[in-house]
Amino acid sequence: MRATDRNGQSYDAEMDARGNYSLSLPPGTYDVFPVTESALPIGIPTNATVTDGSMQRLDLQVDTGIR
């Protein structure tokens, strides 16, 4: 997964086999999305705001393209 701040700085974290991840970020606002190795599934960006000393859960979504 990748978190990108308003200045374009990106921070990456690996997901485990169950889709869990952990990432420490400086305070700020980020676009967070799953990074995939192919065209599908497509990671859907989610907006997150990080405040100093806080922890939050953020569930990410992907579009598999299956209809």
Side-chain angles (χ1 to χ4, degrees):
M1 59 75 54
R2 179 170 293 143
T4 304
D5 68 16
R6 295 296 177 238
N7 296 319
Q9 175 69 43
S10 292
Y11 304 85
D12 292 346
E14 294 290 324
M15 291 184 184
D16 67 17
R18 299 185 78 189
N20 297 311
Y21 65 92
S22 177
L23 185 62
S24 294
L25 297 168
T29 302
Y30 297 86
D31 291 322
V32 183
F33 56 95
V35 176
T36 61
E37 295 179 8
S38 61
L40 293 174
I42 298 169
I44 300 170
T46 301
N47 186 270
T49 300
V50 176
T51 56
D52 194 27
S54 70
M55 182 184 289
Q56 64 182 9
R57 178 183 172 138
L58 184 62
D59 294 324
L60 302 176
Q61 297 180 8
V62 295
D63 180 357
T64 62
I66 298 173
R67 305 285 188 262

